[in-house]
Amino acid sequence: MMTFRSWKAAVMVGLTLLLIIPLYQLRDYSTAGEYKQYIYDHISHYLNREGGVYNNTLYQQGAETTVHQQFNFSSPCENFPNTDGILLVMKTGATEAFDKLPTQLLTAMQCLPDFLLFSDLEQQIGKYHIYNVLDRVNDTIKSQQAEFKLYEAQQTCPVSQKDCTGSMKGAWDLDKYKFLNMVERAWDMRPNMEWYVFAEADTYVVWSNLVYWLRERAKPEEHPYVGSVALIKGFPFAHGGSGYVVSGAFMKKMIELIPNVAAKYDEKAPHECCGDLLISMALDEVGAKVKQAHPMFNGEKPNTLPYGPGHWCEPIFTMHHMNSEEVSAVWQYEQTRTKSERMQIKDLYHTFFAPHLVPYRKEWSNGADDTCYIAPDEAAQEDAGNHEKGRQKKEDEKNAVEKMAHQSPSACSLVCESAGLDINEQEFNALETHTERLSYIRGKYSEKDGDINFKKDRKCFQWKFQRNMCCTGKSFKLGAPKFEGETKNRHTSGWFVKGINDWVEARGECEQVAWRDPS
Ligand SMILES: *[C@@H]1O[C@H](CO)[C@@H](O)[C@H](O)[C@H]1NC(C)=O
Ligand SMILES: *[C@@H]1O[C@H](CO)[C@@H](O)[C@H](O)[C@H]1NC(C)=O
Ligand SMILES: *[C@@H]1O[C@H](CO)[C@@H](O)[C@H](O)[C@H]1NC(C)=O
C-alpha cells in the first residue's frame, strides 16, 4: 500500500515532470548528457530520495578543510585498487563476529572481489560465510584444553551466541589455534596467490596504500613476511591485530615443507601465549624472518596514534582496535577526502584530532607518559605506579617549572609551555599566581616567534595530571575519557595547543610520502 509520503512524492514528481518536459522543449539542450545532468540535479532526489548523496557528518564535525561537504555514496568502489593476486584472510571469533564484521562488510570489504572469513564457529552473516577453522583440531586437544569448553558451548548453542557464551572466558586462548589452521585452509581454498593479507575483525586496512606498496615497493623474495614487529622472550613476530602480509611463496613453503603444519602447531599452542607468535615460528622454520614496517602497519587508531615526529608524513596501511563506529568513520574519510595524495598519518590528525584540539579535558587520558614529575615525598613516591616512577625526572634535575608540576593540572601544563625556553629561576619563583607564571612563560615564548627551528624541534606536546603526578608526552594523542571513582584520583589531560599548531606549521608540507622500507 502506498503511504501518504510516497503519494506526496509521486504527486511532486508528476508535477515536476509536467513542468520540466515543456521546459526541455523550450530550452536548447545541446547534448543528451546535459539533459541527463539536468534531470539528475533537479529531480533524481525525488525518485531516489537522497540519490546516495548525504551531508558529510565529518564535515559537520569540524573537518571542513580535509573532507567534502557531501558524502556521495553512489559509486564507493570507483577508486578502489585492483586486488588481483592479493587475498584478505580475516580472523574473528563467535563472541565478536556480529559486533565487528557487519561494518567491515558495509565499508571497504564491499569493494574486495574475494576474501576469507575464519572463526571458531561456522556462521552466516548475510550473504557471507564464516568458516570454522578449528574443526580439524585433534579431539584429544579439544578435550584436554580448558579453552575448548567455550568452543563446545558455541557449537551446541541453540539460540544466539550472545545468549549462550556472552559471559564465558576462553576466546583469547582459543584464538591462538586459528593461525596455522588458517594458513592451511587459506592455501586449500585459494592457493597460489601472490600475497596473503592477514587481519582481524577490528583491523582497519587502508587498501589504496597497502596494495600500492605490495605491487610497487614490496619485495616478496627478500621480505616475504612483513608487519609491525613485537617480541616475546626475544622472539620477533608480526603483531596480529596490526595486520601482516605473507608472500604466497612462503605460504606454500609452510604447507609443503612442514608436514601437517596446523596439527604440529596445535600441539605447541597450549605452551605459547599467542598465535601470531606461532605463525612466526612456522615461518622461521622455512627461513622467513619477520620484517618491521612500522608505522605503516600500526597497532593504534586515530585517537591513539602518537602524532608528531615519526608519525606524520608516513603512509598508513593498518590500524587496530577499531570499533564499528571508528571503521565507518575512517572509511567515510577515505571516501570524502579532498586530497588525492596517498593517505598519510597527518591526514588522520587533521580530520579526527585537530577539530577537537582544546587546552585540556577533565576525566580524560591522552596517554602522556614519556617523562613524569612526581612529588618527591615518600607517600607520593609510594603511590606512583612503577611505569611512571621508571620515567620520572630526578628532583635535583628539575627546573623551577618542573619542580611545581605535580601540584595541579595548571602547574603541569606549564612544563610543555616552558620547554626549551630560557626561564630565569629566581624571576619565576618570585611569581605568585598561575596567571602570572603563565604570562611570564608566554612572554618568553613570544620572543621565539621567528625561530622556526625552535618550533620544529619541540619535544613536549601534551600532559596528563593525576594526584601528585604530572607526565608529559613527546607526541600528541587525543586519547579517551577515563573515569576514576574517587575525585582525588581523577585524570586531567591537556595539550599545548599553540606549541602543536606552531610545530605543524613549522614542519610544513610533506615533501614526499615517507615510506619505510622493511628492516
Ligand atoms: C545539509 O547541510 C546544509 C548546509 O549546512 C543544510 O542547509 C541542509 O539543511 C542539510 N541537509 C540535510 C538533509 O540535513
Ligand atoms: C555522485 O556520484 C555519481 C557517480 O560518480 C555522479 O554521477 C554524481 O554526479 C555525483 N553527485 C554529486 C552530487 O556529486
Ligand atoms: C590426536 O592426538 C592423539 C594424542 O597425541 C593421537 O594419539 C591421535 O592419533 C591423534 N588423532 C589424530 C586423528 O590425529
Side-chain angles (χ1 to χ4, degrees):
M1 220 180 82
M2 274 185 120
T3 63
F4 174 68
R5 283 175 79 117
S6 48
W7 271 112
K8 215 170 84 179
V11 169
M12 297 272 285
V13 168
L15 287 176
T16 315
L17 283 173
L18 279 177
L19 282 172
I20 281 178
I21 288 164
L23 210 67
Y24 174 53
Q25 286 160 349
L26 284 175
R27 286 174 83 156
D28 185 17
Y29 285 97
S30 49
T31 62
E34 209 177 308
Y35 178 58
K36 256 166 72 184
Q37 189 61 43
Y38 184 82
I39 292 286
Y40 183 87
D41 289 342
H42 292 83
I43 63 167
S44 64
H45 54 289
Y46 287 114
L47 300 170
N48 167 17
R49 293 236 143 204
E50 287 82 19
V53 183
Y54 307 95
N55 275 355
N56 187 354
T57 50
L58 291 177
Y59 185 91
Q60 261 80 42
Q61 285 167 27
E64 288 88 350
T65 54
T66 69
V67 296
H68 292 295
Q69 197 164 354
Q70 294 194 312
F71 183 10
N72 185 345
F73 204 82
S74 39
S75 46
C77 305
E78 198 170 71
N79 298 315
F80 202 80
N82 175 347
T83 53
D84 286 353
I86 299 170
L87 183 79
L88 170 65
V89 181
M90 185 170 269
K91 174 169 71 58
T92 185
T95 54
E96 60 159 40
F98 279 78
D99 283 339
K100 294 178 180 167
L101 283 181
T103 311
Q104 294 276 14
L105 295 166
L106 283 170
T107 55
M109 283 170 79
Q110 72 183 306
C111 303
L112 288 171
D114 189 23
F115 50 78
L116 292 172
L117 300 174
F118 289 129
S119 181
D120 40 28
L121 180 69
E122 202 88 2
Q123 286 183 302
Q124 187 75 25
I125 177 165
K127 65 178 178 181
Y128 303 100
H129 194 73
I130 305 175
Y131 295 92
N132 175 4
V133 78
L134 299 184
D135 55 353
R136 295 183 197 161
V137 174
N138 187 320
D139 286 338
T140 312
I141 293 176
K142 279 181 175 155
S143 63
Q144 284 172 355
Q145 296 300 318
E147 51 271 21
F148 281 93
K149 287 201 175 71
L150 170 66
Y151 178 82
E152 202 50 41
Q154 285 175 180
Q155 316 301 313
T156 55
C157 174
V159 286
S160 81
Q161 292 296 318
K162 256 209 166 82
D163 289 319
C164 292
T165 61
S167 61
M168 285 183 75
K169 291 190 167 48
W172 166 261
D173 283 317
L174 211 46
D175 194 66
K176 58 191 173 188
Y177 297 87
K178 293 174 195 161
F179 290 71
L180 273 306
N181 281 287
M182 286 185 353
V183 165
E184 226 174 63
R185 213 61 70 85
W187 189 260
D188 276 359
M189 296 170 75
R190 305 285 191 279
N192 299 309
M193 305 296 288
E194 209 174 322
W195 286 106
Y196 293 80
V197 176
F198 289 91
E200 302 188 356
D202 61 351
T203 307
Y204 189 94
V205 179
V206 180
W207 287 99
S208 55
N209 281 353
L210 179 59
V211 170
Y212 170 82
W213 181 76
L214 288 175
R215 293 210 194 286
E216 305 295 330
R217 304 186 69 98
K219 303 186 180 103
E221 298 80 25
E222 278 172 59
H223 309 313
Y225 170 37
V226 185
S228 175
V229 174
L231 290 173
I232 284 181
K233 291 187 233 150
F235 197 88
F237 62 100
H239 170 240
S242 304
Y244 52 95
V245 293
V246 178
S247 76
F250 275 78
M251 287 285 282
K252 189 172 184 177
K253 281 192 181 177
M254 278 191 284
I255 302 294
E256 289 183 350
L257 301 182
I258 310 175
N260 298 318
V261 61
K264 175 174 174 183
Y265 279 86
D266 285 345
E267 291 196 4
K268 292 183 193 282
H271 316 293
E272 303 294 344
C273 71
C274 25
D276 34 12
L277 172 64
L278 292 169
I279 196 172
S280 183
M281 290 162 72
L283 279 158
D284 188 60
E285 271 197 67
V286 295
K289 296 247 186 275
V290 65
K291 293 290 173 184
Q292 169 77 301
H294 183 86
M296 301 189 297
F297 288 94
N298 209 302
E300 302 300 334
K301 59 182 181 175
N303 68 319
T304 64
L305 278 165
Y307 299 100
H311 276 73
W312 200 250
C313 299
E314 290 74 9
I316 194 152
F317 296 165
T318 61
M319 287 176 272
H320 186 217
H321 291 306
M322 297 276 284
N323 65 36
S324 269
E325 195 176 339
E326 292 163 334
V327 167
S328 182
V330 176
W331 166 254
Q332 189 172 330
Y333 168 64
E334 283 203 78
Q335 291 277 304
T336 58
R337 55 200 297 257
T338 46
K339 288 189 181 165
S340 57
E341 291 113 76
R342 245 157 237 302
M343 191 161 127
Q344 289 159 288
I345 292 177
K346 70 180 170 71
D347 297 330
L348 293 167
Y349 167 75
H350 288 301
T351 305
F352 294 103
F353 188 174
H356 311 289
L357 182 61
V358 292
Y360 67 90
R361 290 176 188 272
K362 287 182 174 173
E363 298 198 62
W364 193 276
S365 173
N366 59 14
D369 71 349
D370 291 316
T371 309
C372 293
Y373 306 90
I374 309 173
D377 61 276
E378 215 170 297
Q381 287 289 325
E382 247 167 55
D383 213 25
N386 284 333
H387 180 79
E388 287 82 2
K389 260 197 295 207
R391 290 164 180 229
Q392 75 172 313
K393 203 161 189 178
K394 290 193 193 115
E395 195 60 20
D396 56 5
E397 290 168 7
K398 291 178 186 170
N399 66 29
V401 180
E402 293 165 344
K403 279 201 171 90
M404 284 184 183
H406 63 268
Q407 293 174 0
S408 68
S410 45
C412 179
S413 75
L414 296 182
V415 175
C416 284
E417 296 246 4
S418 64
L421 298 177
D422 190 13
I423 305 292
N424 180 305
E425 193 123 341
Q426 262 178 338
E427 277 170 24
F428 185 81
N429 285 335
L431 304 170
E432 284 174 2
T433 65
H434 174 69
T435 315
E436 285 171 5
R437 292 180 194 118
L438 183 61
S439 91
Y440 174 82
I441 289 170
R442 295 231 165 131
K444 294 277 180 192
Y445 189 90
S446 66
E447 289 168 18
K448 298 277 193 184
D449 226 12
D451 190 343
I452 194 162
N453 286 328
F454 166 76
K455 292 175 177 175
K456 216 159 137 176
D457 289 345
R458 171 155 298 286
K459 290 184 181 64
C460 190
F461 292 94
Q462 63 169 18
W463 53 271
K464 184 180 74 183
F465 179 85
Q466 194 191 19
R467 184 159 61 123
N468 294 329
M469 185 164 67
C470 166
C471 295
T472 58
K474 55 183 196 244
S475 60
F476 38 109
K477 308 183 214 177
L478 179 50
K482 188 174 174 85
F483 301 106
E484 299 290 341
E486 289 184 75
T487 318
K488 62 180 180 15
N489 289 334
R490 286 198 182 144
H491 286 80
T492 301
S493 289
W495 299 268
F496 180 21
V497 175
K498 182 152 175 58
I500 291 173
N501 288 334
D502 284 348
W503 181 84
V504 170
E505 199 189 321
R507 175 66 191 74
E509 292 296 312
C510 295
E511 307 72 39
Q512 56 199 16
V513 178
W515 297 100
R516 296 279 177 81
D517 288 325
S519 57

